[in-house]
């Protein structure tokens, strides 16, 4: 990735955070640690939550009105951490205001809206990036470095599993409402679908997925997803995303990539130390780079130098949405769904 | 186990492709080492023959097994038992009629890690299993001209079925040729939907040779069983004492191998007068899955299995 350019004579970029939920804390911490950007305000529909977050951040301005925040002097960009169904209108508003955007994944929950958002930022001449944070974690980069270095030759089969237990609130959580989240494939599945597609350096052509309401039969989303992706070059990927495993303390990352010249593995027990205590066995994560900070830098790089190669392109973000939509559709039909079908009508 | 010594006739020294001879490579040495068996040089109808170890060409295999069963002999048959589910079903019918043991050589289920896991799952250690993930990647050796779906897939399929006890209902599969020069598949990805909604995904294939993996040895062999109350990880490259030396690293372990344990089951079933586990019916179901996988890979769509015929397990 390119280092940030020297076009930096205006001081740190002013960034507002929109949506003061738990993921906003991670972005806020990355902003605090950056010398290239500063937190310029908090926006949340809930005034109490906005003011509390603003106070916690050292007394930055807060508002419940996005337009007001975007109009404030010194605000150049936004990081949006709101529920998925609000992504499209908020993104459009930010594009119209001529600001840059780091949007929590998924970019939007439909392919046409994702394409429309990208076109709006193209027209505005500002940067939009979807926060597929796993691309910026050490483990994902280690795998990518190895593949890029030719360690396995041409990758032909990849497995990625991110398995855990229930972490969501109760039945009222918007994540559990497919109309609001787009379903679990859009909410979390896109992390894995994006990551393997990046690793494999190939274009997905179809998805065959199985979904399971494991925690409760009444769930309207699939807390366990098993997604097969077929690639244009003949490779296959199997991605498992789970928030339905038990025990709920399960914390599992598993990577296997087989290539023409070798096999790469990040075994499930290979990325931490095992701690055995009276309350059970758990994994002690190794010290690692802050993926949110690395991601913030990548976004700031893209803003500073529009011509530089981007770590995560708008097309990547649209593709991730398309893969998520294809996954949900495949589960519904019990059949593979092509990317062509879900991209139909939005291709130029 | 009874101390009866059973006479074994070795019938055929062929396999899938010109280089495969499991009779000489696997079964003969295991029979010779096993105290319960004695290899005899006799005709099929000789009373000294209790068991026939069948490794004839796959095209003639089903007929040879049927002939042995009808001659009143018990049979150990190399995998695959037959090349099609229809042929496998004929064998299973004759096995049921004669009441003789017909043991397909699905010996990986006797791996010490897997055998222990079967007991743990059956005992409810992870609650009700709802998903299994499996990888069975062999490195090096001679690629099977019949393809690795026909050759290797039998092993992890048998293990998944033995672990869960749940038959497959629907099969989606992808076949690829990534490492060998011929046309035969050397990679298969099987996505199965089983009874009670359990899903499984199995990758199976033969990569090029890898350092520290003996030719035709398993580079990756593992299973993960997710259940309503827990998760079981089975790494079948263990148990192992790992040796690191200047020239190469390797692993060693003590005790009977999977083929030795397969022969234990053969001996126990014959002397107890009970069907073996696995049985010919298990091989029929695996052949159905393999047939369906081939059809699915060709069509790009999942294939539903008939639920009319139920095997025993």
């Amino acid at each position: 990735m390119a280092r940030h350019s020297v076009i930096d004579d205006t001081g740190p970029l002013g960034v507002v955070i929109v949506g003061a939920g738990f993921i906003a804390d991670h972005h806020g911490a990355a902003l605090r640690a950056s010398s290239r950007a500063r937190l310029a305000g908090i926006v949340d529909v809930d005034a109490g939550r906005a003011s509390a977050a603003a106070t916690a951040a050292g007394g930055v301005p807060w508002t419940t009105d996005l337009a007001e925040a975007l109009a404030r002097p010194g605000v150049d960009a936004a990081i949006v951490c709101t529920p998925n169904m609000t992504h499209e209108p908020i993104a459009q508003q930010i594009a119209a205001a001529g600001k840059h955007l780091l949007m929590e994944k998924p970019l939007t929950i439909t392919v046409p809206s994702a394409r429309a958002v990208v076109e709006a930022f193209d027209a505005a001449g500002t940067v939009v990036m979807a926060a597929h944070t796993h691309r910026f974690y050490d483990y994902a980069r280690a795998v990518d470095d190895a593949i890029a270095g030719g360690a396995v030759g041409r990758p032909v089969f990849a497995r990625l599993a991110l398995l855990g237990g229930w972490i969501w609130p109760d039945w009222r959580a918007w994540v559990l409402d497919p109309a609001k989240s787009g379903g679990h494939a859009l909410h979390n599945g896109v992390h894995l679908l994006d990551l393997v597609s990046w690793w494999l350096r190939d274009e997905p052509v179809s998805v065959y997925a199985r979904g399971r309401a494991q925690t409760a039969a009444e769930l309207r989303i699939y807390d366990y997803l098993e997604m097969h992706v077929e690639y244009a070059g003949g490779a296959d990927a199997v991605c498992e995303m789970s928030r339905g495993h038990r025990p709920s303390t399960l914390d599992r990352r598993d990577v296997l990539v087989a290539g023409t010249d070798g096999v790469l593995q990040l075994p499930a027990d290979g990325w931490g130390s095992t701690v055995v205590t009276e309350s059970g066995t758990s994994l002690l994560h190794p010290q690692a780079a802050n993926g949110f900070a690395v991601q913030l830098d990548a976004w700031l790089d893209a803003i500073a130098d529009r011509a530089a190669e981007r770590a995560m392109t708008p097309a990547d973000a649209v593709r991730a949405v398309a893969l998520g939509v294809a996954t949900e559709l495949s589960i519904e039909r019990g059949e593979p769904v092509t990317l062509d079908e879900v991209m139909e009508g939005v291709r130029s | 186990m009874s101390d009866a010594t059973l006479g074994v006739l070795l019938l055929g020294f062929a396999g899938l492709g010109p280089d495969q001879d499991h009779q000489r490579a696997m079964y003969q040495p295991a029979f010779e080492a096993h105290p319960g068996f004695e290899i005899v040089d006799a005709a099929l109808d000789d009373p000294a023959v209790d068991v026939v170890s069948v490794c004839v060409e796959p095209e003639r295999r089903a007929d040879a097994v049927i002939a042995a069963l009808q001659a009143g002999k018990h049979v150990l048959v190399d995998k695959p038992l037959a090349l099609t589910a229809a042929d496998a079903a004929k064998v299973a019918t004759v096995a049921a009629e004669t009441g003789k043991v017909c043991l397909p050589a699905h010996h990986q289920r006797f791996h010490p890690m897997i055998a222990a896991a079967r007991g743990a799952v059956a005992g409810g250690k992870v609650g009700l299993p709802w998903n299994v993930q499996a990888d069975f990647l062999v490195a090096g050796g001679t690629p099977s001209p019949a393809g690795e779906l026909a050759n290797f897939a039998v092993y992890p399929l048998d293990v998944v079925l033995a672990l869960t006890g749940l038959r497959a209902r629907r099969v989606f599969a992808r076949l690829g040729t990534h490492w060998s020069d011929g046309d035969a598949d050397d990679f298969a990805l099987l996505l199965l939907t089983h009874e009670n909604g359990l899903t499984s995904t199995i990758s199976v294939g033969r990569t090029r040779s890898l350092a520290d993996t003996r030719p035709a040895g398993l580079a990756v062999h593992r299973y993960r069983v997710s259940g309503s109350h827990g998760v079981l990880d089975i790494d079948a490259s263990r148990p192992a004492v790992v040796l690191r030396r200047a020239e190469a690293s390797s692993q060693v372990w003590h005790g009977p191998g999977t083929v030795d344990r397969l022969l234990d089951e053969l001996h126990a079933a014959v002397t107890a007068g009970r069907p073996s586990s696995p049985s010919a019916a298990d091989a029929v179901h695996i052949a159905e899955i393999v047939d369906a996988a081939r059809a699915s890979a060709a069509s790009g769509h999942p294939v539903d299995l008939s639920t009319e015929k139920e095997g025993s397990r």
Side-chain angles (χ1 to χ4, degrees):
Chain A
M1 192 196 337
R3 293 200 173 274
H4 81 276
S5 86
V6 291
I7 313 168
D8 198 18
D9 53 1
T10 54
L13 193 81
V15 180
V16 291
I17 287 182
V18 185
F22 94 98
I23 204 75
D25 294 342
H26 293 283
H27 290 289
L31 278 172
R32 278 196 298 280
S34 175
S35 60
R36 302 168 62 196
R38 62 179 183 85
L39 182 60
I42 303 276
V43 185
D44 197 291
V45 289
D46 181 325
R49 201 162 50 194
S51 66
T55 304
V60 298
W62 65 268
T63 174
T64 58
D65 181 358
L66 176 59
E68 179 196 321
L70 294 173
R72 196 175 294 130
V75 171
D76 309 296
I79 298 176
V80 173
C81 314
T82 56
N84 299 348
M85 74 292 188
T86 67
H87 286 188
E88 181 193 8
I90 290 175
Q92 289 288 1
Q93 192 176 349
I94 290 166
K99 311 297 181 185
H100 307 289
L101 170 62
L102 177 61
M103 175 64 84
E104 254 307 322
K105 51 77 209 165
L107 181 60
T108 67
I109 57 177
T110 69
V111 176
S113 63
R115 286 298 299 261
V117 163
V118 169
E119 283 164 12
F121 278 87
D122 277 350
T126 50
V127 170
V128 59
M129 184 168 123
H132 287 271
T133 317
H134 278 261
R135 282 201 189 200
F136 303 96
Y137 289 159
D138 286 347
Y139 87 96
R141 302 211 139 200
V143 171
D144 193 65
D145 287 350
I147 292 172
V152 299
R154 180 172 57 83
V156 297
F157 173 57
R159 259 188 189 284
L160 170 60
L162 301 180
L163 310 179
W166 188 260
I167 57 162
W168 294 315
D170 74 357
W171 292 104
R172 290 164 286 194
W174 63 266
V175 180
L176 305 188
D177 182 347
K180 293 178 177 171
S181 65
H184 196 201
L186 271 301
H187 189 64
N188 274 331
V190 290
H191 270 311
L192 297 83
L193 295 163
D194 173 66
L195 200 51
V196 291
S197 299
W198 180 50
W199 285 340
L200 292 175
R201 292 159 168 74
D202 202 350
E203 279 307 311
V205 292
S206 81
V207 176
Y208 176 69
R210 275 99 50 97
R212 191 175 176 85
Q214 176 57 31
T215 298
E218 295 79 6
L219 275 177
R220 286 185 293 137
I221 60 154
Y222 305 105
D223 51 352
Y224 174 74
L225 294 165
E226 203 177 1
M227 305 169 281
H228 165 259
V229 186
E230 177 187 338
Y231 288 85
D236 291 282
V238 174
C239 299
E240 292 172 273
M241 176 70 224
S242 181
R243 283 281 156 227
H245 268 77
R246 288 181 71 182
S248 62
T249 50
L250 187 80
D251 175 15
R252 186 64 66 81
R253 257 177 216 176
D254 185 89
V255 179
L256 169 70
V257 181
T260 49
D261 296 332
V263 176
L264 172 162
Q265 264 189 288
L266 175 67
D269 59 358
W271 73 290
S273 304
T274 305
V275 190
V276 184
T277 66
E278 299 290 353
S279 54
T281 304
S282 59
L283 207 57
L284 182 65
H285 294 181
Q287 282 193 340
N290 179 345
F292 285 81
V294 179
Q295 175 176 261
L296 177 66
D297 267 333
W299 179 52
L300 295 173
D301 288 341
I303 293 169
D305 182 358
R306 311 291 164 80
E309 187 182 339
R310 296 199 192 174
M312 173 86 206
T313 68
D316 293 340
V318 175
R319 183 179 70 182
V321 171
L323 284 164
V325 170
T327 296
E328 293 287 343
L329 205 51
S330 173
I331 296 169
E332 187 186 317
R333 292 183 187 166
E335 286 279 340
V337 170
T338 66
L339 268 284
D340 274 348
E341 181 188 337
V342 296
M343 294 292 275
E344 188 141 321
V346 291
R347 280 199 165 151
S348 53
Chain B
M1 188 186 299
S2 160
D3 56 4
T5 300
L6 304 174
V8 180
L9 168 66
L10 303 181
L11 183 67
F13 298 88
L16 289 170
D19 296 331
Q20 194 177 76
D21 178 3
H22 287 158
Q23 191 79 281
R24 284 193 181 86
M26 284 163 46
Y27 308 127
Q28 181 174 348
F31 277 122
E32 285 169 351
H34 199 290
F37 297 97
E38 185 182 12
I39 295 171
V40 295
D41 185 11
L44 178 62
D45 57 1
D46 191 309
V49 175
D50 300 297
V51 173
V52 183
S53 174
V54 178
C55 290
V56 302
E57 295 82 355
E59 295 76 17
R60 300 197 301 113
R61 196 170 283 171
D63 290 341
V65 173
I66 288 170
L69 290 167
Q70 287 175 337
K73 309 303 182 186
H74 305 284
V75 173
L76 169 72
V77 54
D78 195 19
K79 62 89 199 151
L81 181 144
L83 288 178
T84 65
D87 279 353
K90 286 181 199 161
V91 173
T93 301
V94 176
E97 285 167 1
T98 60
K100 296 296 171 186
V101 170
C102 180
L103 174 62
H106 305 164
H107 57 89
Q108 291 295 345
R109 66 158 70 188
F110 298 104
H111 185 288
M113 298 294 267
I114 295 166
R118 286 167 54 204
V121 173
K125 211 66 166 160
V126 296
L128 296 169
W130 51 266
N131 179 262
V132 183
Q133 299 289 321
D135 295 300
F136 190 100
L137 299 178
V138 171
T142 308
S144 172
E148 300 306 345
L149 172 64
N151 185 38
F152 283 145
V154 172
Y155 289 133
L157 276 169
D158 180 68
V159 171
V160 170
L161 295 168
L163 277 169
T164 62
L166 297 172
R167 293 168 64 83
R169 294 294 199 208
R170 173 172 261 229
V171 179
F172 180 77
R174 291 260 299 154
L175 294 176
T177 305
H178 299 309
W179 296 282
S180 59
D181 296 329
D183 295 332
D185 59 88
D186 58 12
F187 180 74
L189 190 60
L190 307 171
L191 294 96
L192 311 181
T193 306
H194 300 248
E195 295 167 320
N196 293 339
L198 178 133
T199 54
S200 67
T201 299
I202 300 169
S203 79
V204 54
R206 187 197 296 269
T207 74
R208 289 186 190 134
S209 302
L210 297 173
D212 296 345
T213 302
R214 66 173 174 78
L218 277 152
V220 183
H221 186 198
R222 60 179 188 166
Y223 304 82
R224 185 203 325 122
V225 183
S226 295
S228 59
H229 290 72
V231 178
L232 174 61
D233 287 303
I234 307 156
D235 183 347
S237 67
R238 300 167 183 169
V241 172
V242 179
L243 307 171
R244 293 198 174 85
R245 295 164 52 79
E247 61 275 24
S249 298
S250 59
Q251 299 187 344
V252 294
W253 196 245
H254 181 80
T258 54
V259 175
D260 303 319
R261 292 171 196 264
L262 177 79
L263 297 194
D264 287 345
E265 168 61 15
L266 176 63
H267 195 273
V270 170
T271 54
R274 62 162 172 83
S276 62
S277 180
S279 68
D282 294 319
V284 174
H285 187 46
I286 288 171
E288 287 169 349
I289 295 170
V290 168
D291 283 358
R294 222 174 275 293
S296 171
S299 72
H301 294 281
V303 171
D304 288 323
L305 296 180
S306 160
T307 55
E308 289 168 16
K309 287 175 284 183
E310 296 291 322
S312 66
R313 180 169 290 104

